[in-house]
Amino acid sequence: MTAERGDRGKRGERGERGEQSTGTVLVVDYGAQYAQLIARRIREARVHSEIVPYTTSVADMLARDPSAIVLSGGPSSVYAPGAPAAPEGLFEAGVPVFGICYGFQLMAQAMGGVVARTGTSEYGGTALAVTPGPSALFSGLPDQQLVWMSHGDSVTAPPPGFSVTATSTGTPVAAVEDLSRRLAGVQFHPEVGHSEHGQAVLERFLHNVAGCWADWTMDNVIETQVGRIQAQVGGKRVLCALSGGVDSAVAAALVQRAVGDQLTCVYVDHGLMRLGETEQVERDYVASTGVDLRVVRAEAQFLEALAGVADPEQKRKIIGREFIRVFEQAAREVAGTEGSVDFLVQGTLYPDVVESGGGSGAASIKSHHNVGGLPEDLAFELVEPLRELFKDEVREVGRQLGLPASIVGRQPFPGPGLGVRIVGAVDAYRLDVLRRADAITREELTRAGLDQSIWQCPVVLLADVRSVGVQGDGRTYGHPIVLRPVSSEDAMTADWTRLPYDVLALISTRITNEVPEVNRVVLDVTSKPPGTIEWE
């Protein structure tokens, strides 16, 4: 760290034990999706992190030899019946611990502090006052700073041995430290971007209190994953579910780095892609990687299976089922010429796992064909080298592997394609309408130079909704199109992007002029939460 530190910060620089650690930081998930954001922020500090459920025993945590443990926030009150408790024996185990929000309250309560229902809640931006004196968490930071709070209960008295290092108007104990035991906690959320010095506070815990080395890089990830892939696959054949998107492209490049020509990529043209994307995959990805690519034309098969199905979860599962069946046939064809295929590569990311209910304490928001919709009789063993990574980390891996910017910079696109951007049943007519509207939107956003300032812009067809319009001096009864521009860092949270009005007006005019089936264009201005990025 470059900021000056007080005496306590100097003593904590390598931890009380005078040592630095290259191990993993465990994030204990108490049911809030912010647990994933905490893990991501720790990785941004170049320290490896993993998430474990709050039901994990201390013995199991210590068996993983963690360099530190972070207790996440959560929706519960420490006083609620059945509320998750602090892991028994954790604070006496000698491992550095950092409590955040609910995790901070658990720490305070378990160690003899007081947590009270004061009747004063704090939500959103809150002024934090750093108390005078040396501090490992706040050394070199402003005495007054804005942080993000979200709590009803408050710590009103610190546990014995802890010093109070910050307060707010509604929280007399907003941060504490006990460097002799390498323990600290904060009531606010340092992992959230609205906490203006939150990342610095988190890094000060990692480096000044826990003594973690900042040595986890994407180079290390590549090296580790290549070794894992080689150990898993051996000398056998591998198929990759290549979609042309960032995730599958990077996964394929990583597997290719590990096993070379044992990999065959299969691109399934399921008829649900955007305008020109199949041709782009065939041209650009092969040119940049030299991978063995097989293209399977399966539009008729998918549309037949989707006929009349409007439920979004059912659509996802059907697409996943047919997707795998196509791969099984492709595997048989590859096996007929090159030997049996035992492994299937997928570009599953950590947010996919979380939103499919695979993250500890998280509800299933939607199923993905590459996570929650696989058939029980799957004929392949899965290879998922990106399963623990966030999107920005995947892009960096792609850059390290030498993939071109046109691939690693591509905006996210769902595996089920336009099938989940049609609200209602999917058919060839509706896909054609949506493709043309989507192509216009992407063209104008690119022309305006906005590709890199938004996370993505889903274009949604409300297929089962009609609205009255006037086109060509006549009354029309056409479809509405929804524009969903969003900004995000990792897809866990997102806000709608404030696009220039002239760009929105141009997109709307072009769509209603050039796609006669559409007579209304609307803008989705919902953040995530409460809304998801995709409509289905």
Side-chain angles (χ1 to χ4, degrees):
M1 305 297 295
T2 58
E4 295 182 0
R5 290 185 287 269
D7 292 339
R8 295 164 85 190
K10 292 178 181 177
R11 184 177 66 178
E13 183 171 4
R14 288 180 177 268
E16 183 68 20
R17 296 177 180 175
E19 58 189 34
Q20 282 195 313
S21 171
T22 59
T24 293
V25 173
L26 298 182
V27 178
V28 181
D29 184 357
Y30 281 98
Q33 287 195 11
Y34 279 149
Q36 287 74 45
L37 188 55
I38 295 170
R40 183 179 177 277
R41 297 303 188 207
I42 293 171
R43 295 179 187 192
E44 287 180 2
R46 297 179 62 190
V47 178
H48 185 249
S49 62
E50 294 179 3
I51 297 169
V52 298
Y54 69 84
T55 53
T56 306
S57 69
V58 171
D60 287 342
M61 293 183 196
L62 297 180
R64 302 172 71 162
D65 192 25
S67 56
I69 294 174
V70 177
L71 307 181
S72 84
S76 300
S77 165
V78 295
Y79 295 108
E88 187 175 355
L90 174 62
F91 304 116
E92 295 74 42
V95 63
V97 181
F98 187 44
I100 294 176
C101 194
Y102 181 75
F104 166 52
Q105 295 174 4
L106 287 178
M107 172 187 286
Q109 185 183 59
M111 301 193 71
V114 178
V115 181
R117 297 171 177 169
T118 63
T120 301
S121 300
E122 291 178 314
Y123 297 101
T126 304
L128 185 80
V130 178
T131 58
S135 166
L137 294 182
F138 298 102
S139 60
L141 298 179
D143 292 338
Q144 301 290 326
Q145 51 189 274
L146 188 68
V147 299
W148 191 260
M149 293 279 198
S150 181
H151 68 99
D153 300 340
S154 296
V155 178
T156 57
F162 283 80
S163 298
V164 178
T165 53
T167 65
S168 71
T169 300
T171 307
V173 182
V176 298
E177 301 174 21
D178 182 348
L179 293 186
S180 66
R181 289 181 286 183
R182 297 191 294 173
L183 304 175
V186 295
Q187 182 59 68
F188 61 92
H189 287 274
E191 74 277 15
V192 175
H194 298 295
S195 293
E196 56 185 359
H197 297 286
Q199 182 67 14
V201 170
L202 185 57
E203 290 182 2
R204 279 159 171 72
F205 168 76
L206 295 171
H207 304 311
N208 296 1
V209 179
C212 297
W213 286 106
D215 59 359
W216 186 74
T217 67
M218 289 304 104
D219 286 335
N220 295 340
V221 170
I222 292 172
E223 181 181 357
T224 298
Q225 287 301 326
V226 165
R228 288 179 181 176
I229 294 165
Q230 291 171 338
Q232 181 183 9
V233 171
K236 296 180 179 179
R237 299 290 307 172
V238 189
L239 282 181
C240 178
L242 186 67
S243 70
V246 178
D247 307 339
S248 64
V250 174
L254 195 50
V255 174
Q256 188 179 34
R257 170 74 64 90
V259 300
D261 60 9
Q262 293 169 231
L263 171 68
T264 298
C265 287
V266 176
Y267 173 80
V268 177
D269 182 3
H270 49 26
L272 306 173
M273 301 302 289
R274 296 182 293 191
L275 191 66
E277 285 188 313
T278 295
E279 294 75 16
Q280 182 185 41
V281 171
E282 291 183 276
R283 179 185 66 247
D284 296 346
Y285 192 72
V286 174
S288 64
T289 64
V291 73
D292 177 19
L293 176 65
R294 314 287 176 91
V295 177
V296 180
R297 312 286 178 180
E299 179 177 4
Q301 177 178 335
F302 279 82
L303 291 185
E304 181 180 357
L306 288 167
V309 177
D311 179 78
E313 283 297 284
Q314 191 176 357
K315 285 194 291 186
R316 286 178 177 272
K317 286 180 168 59
I318 289 171
I319 293 169
R321 181 193 69 209
E322 297 303 316
F323 184 79
I324 292 299
R325 297 305 178 222
V326 170
F327 260 83
E328 289 175 333
Q329 179 59 36
R332 287 190 287 269
E333 294 175 1
V334 171
T337 58
E338 301 180 31
S340 65
V341 178
D342 298 286
F343 296 94
L344 171 63
V345 179
Q346 292 195 128
T348 308
L349 304 191
Y350 197 68
D352 297 336
V353 176
V354 172
E355 292 198 340
S356 298
S360 58
S364 178
I365 298 171
K366 58 188 177 184
S367 62
H368 293 252
H369 76 265
N370 59 345
V371 179
L374 297 175
E376 294 181 0
D377 59 342
L378 179 66
F380 309 105
E381 181 179 337
L382 293 180
V383 179
E384 298 176 300
L386 310 179
R387 188 180 177 89
E388 298 177 355
L389 300 182
F390 293 95
K391 178 71 76 170
D392 57 330
E393 295 170 334
V394 171
R395 294 189 196 278
E396 182 58 29
V397 168
R399 295 185 190 100
Q400 296 293 331
L401 291 171
L403 294 179
S406 60
I407 292 176
V408 297
R410 186 173 184 261
Q411 292 182 359
F413 186 62
L418 298 179
V420 293
R421 291 186 176 175
I422 294 175
V423 179
V426 178
D427 59 30
Y429 162 78
R430 291 173 170 181
L431 284 166
D432 177 62
V433 172
L434 181 54
R435 277 197 192 94
R436 285 179 282 145
D438 176 86
I440 290 169
T441 303
R442 288 188 290 138
E443 181 181 327
E444 292 303 332
L445 291 176
T446 299
R447 181 176 293 151
L450 296 170
D451 285 344
Q452 300 305 311
S453 62
I454 62 174
W455 173 265
Q456 60 175 302
C457 185
V459 178
V460 180
L461 173 65
L462 303 183
D464 292 334
V465 176
R466 295 276 184 161
S467 67
V468 175
V470 178
Q471 291 169 294
D473 296 325
R475 183 180 186 276
T476 63
Y477 199 49
H479 295 289
I481 282 286
V482 180
L483 306 182
R484 174 69 164 138
V486 294
S487 300
S488 180
E489 293 182 352
D490 50 32
M492 298 305 302
T493 60
D495 194 13
W496 67 281
T497 305
R498 278 64 168 174
L499 295 178
Y501 288 153
D502 57 342
V503 175
L504 289 171
L506 181 57
I507 292 172
S508 177
T509 299
R510 283 198 58 193
I511 289 176
T512 53
N513 284 350
E514 299 174 32
V515 187
E517 298 89 346
V518 175
N519 66 0
R520 193 177 300 272
V521 177
V522 300
L523 180 66
D524 184 345
V525 295
T526 312
S527 64
K528 176 188 178 182
T532 55
I533 291 178
E534 299 290 344
W535 272 49
E536 292 203 344

